[in-house]
Amino acid sequence: MSIEHLRARASICALTLISSLTLASGCSDDGGAEESESTDESGESESTDESESTDESESTDETESTDETDTTDGTEETDTGNLSCEPEGDVTISYSIEVGALDEPPSVDLDLACTLAEIDTDGVTQVLILDCPELENVAVIDIAVSPDMSLPLVGGEAISMRYILEGPWWFNTYLRLDVEGTGHLLTLIDGDSLLPPEEFEFTSPVELTAVYDLCEPVSDGCGQRERLALMTTIAGEEAQIFDANYAEVGGEEGTEIWVGAAGHLHEIECTDTPDEWFQVLIVGPGEG
């Protein structure tokens, strides 16, 4: 069956949830969450039928929030003092997640048993088409990153899919895929916290801790943005990965981590703007 045919199935009554979220920099004065995009510096989400991440974000609605949002849930803080700030790398993360029609948008909370119907790649974008009996149509996941990634899949694998889209002011995306028999495949985090709120059960394959006071804040249009680093330890190897950087941790066949965004916003000047945003892709075994 062709990808085009499967996509046509996916689009019937599809809820395609578009969110490429980074620390919100293009926030509207209206406040809210009906539409938003996400870049490396701001979170924008759209509660329509498609979820896609880009590099710019804006959040609009009719309900205003305060200038600062408490986003401490799931984000551990480490203050290491005046360490050096590493320069920005060339890491980018873009994705789209398409699922069937859902009963209770805009929030999504799915825990599904699926089969990988097809995988396709052009060397940059990985397209996974999942047949999940609980959905009316197939789920389609497109992910492209720089540096490129490769997934050890051939088709036919049994895959568990954990997918959370949590709002309403802006949308936080959490996706985890595990392959039966081999374990963790990939995890995508795109939101104001490294973990969703406690009412959503979600396990990260690695422990990530935000590290502060490494880089001087610079103006980004909605305030002073401080680049952060994420610290983790895998298979005895400790790594500190800065915003817009990539690392493979835990040996040659270790876990790959792309940090598309990790930032804290000081002196927020825009409404409905989170004070932190993280965009992270984790591929590989994780902590086991």
Side-chain angles (χ1 to χ4, degrees):
M1 184 178 291
S2 68
I3 294 176
E4 290 77 10
H5 182 73
L6 289 168
R7 284 180 180 281
R9 288 178 55 201
S11 65
I12 299 175
C13 300
L15 169 63
T16 312
L17 304 160
I18 302 177
S19 69
S20 167
L21 307 173
T22 55
L23 182 63
S25 68
C27 306
S28 88
D29 293 334
D30 294 339
E34 296 221 359
E35 280 192 2
S36 70
E37 295 181 6
S38 101
T39 69
D40 288 347
E41 298 183 346
S42 52
E44 182 181 40
S45 318
E46 184 176 326
S47 70
T48 65
D49 289 351
E50 211 169 294
S51 170
E52 180 176 339
S53 101
T54 60
D55 283 336
E56 197 170 286
S57 80
E58 184 176 329
S59 112
T60 59
D61 195 347
E62 296 180 357
T63 306
E64 294 189 357
S65 74
T66 59
D67 283 350
E68 293 196 15
T69 304
D70 182 358
T71 58
T72 57
D73 289 348
T75 306
E76 297 183 30
E77 299 188 5
T78 298
D79 181 351
T80 59
N82 298 317
L83 299 180
S84 351
C85 178
E86 292 186 9
E88 290 189 29
D90 59 358
V91 167
T92 60
I93 302 172
S94 63
Y95 65 91
S96 69
I97 302 169
E98 301 176 14
V99 295
L102 302 173
D103 293 333
E104 297 181 359
S107 291
V108 176
D109 187 358
L110 297 176
D111 193 352
L112 304 172
C114 307
T115 300
L116 181 62
E118 191 170 344
I119 180 170
D120 186 50
T121 180
D122 59 7
V124 177
T125 303
Q126 306 284 329
V127 182
L128 282 66
I129 300 176
L130 301 175
D131 185 4
C132 310
E134 294 183 45
L135 297 179
E136 292 183 6
N137 305 288
V138 294
V140 181
I141 300 170
D142 293 56
I143 301 179
V145 293
S146 176
D148 298 342
M149 71 170 175
S150 176
L151 298 176
L153 299 170
V154 296
E157 291 90 345
I159 294 181
S160 62
M161 175 181 176
R162 184 77 177 101
Y163 177 40
I164 296 167
L165 186 69
E166 183 261 327
W169 309 118
W170 47 83
F171 287 91
N172 302 312
T173 300
Y174 303 91
L175 172 72
R176 174 168 174 157
L177 301 180
D178 289 86
V179 178
E180 184 177 309
T182 59
H184 178 259
L185 176 67
L186 67 83
T187 290
L188 173 70
I189 298 165
D190 194 9
D192 61 18
S193 178
L194 291 167
L195 289 172
E198 290 182 359
E199 60 264 31
F200 298 95
E201 293 184 9
F202 188 87
T203 303
S204 175
V206 299
E207 183 177 352
L208 297 171
T209 302
V211 185
Y212 297 75
D213 297 327
L214 301 178
C215 302
E216 289 294 328
V218 296
S219 176
D220 82 336
C222 273
Q224 297 292 312
R225 183 179 185 268
E226 174 191 352
R227 294 178 61 229
L228 307 179
L230 299 181
M231 183 173 288
T232 189
T233 301
I234 303 172
E237 180 182 352
E238 184 177 279
Q240 184 170 272
I241 311 162
F242 275 79
D243 164 72
N245 279 271
Y246 161 89
E248 184 171 357
V249 189
E252 256 183 57
E253 300 298 323
T255 299
E256 296 179 276
I257 301 176
W258 291 258
V259 180
H264 180 87
L265 197 60
H266 301 267
E267 302 174 11
I268 298 175
E269 300 171 359
C270 302
T271 57
D272 293 327
T273 303
D275 62 359
E276 294 189 341
W277 200 266
F278 303 93
Q279 188 185 58
V280 185
L281 179 68
I282 304 165
V283 174
E287 295 176 323

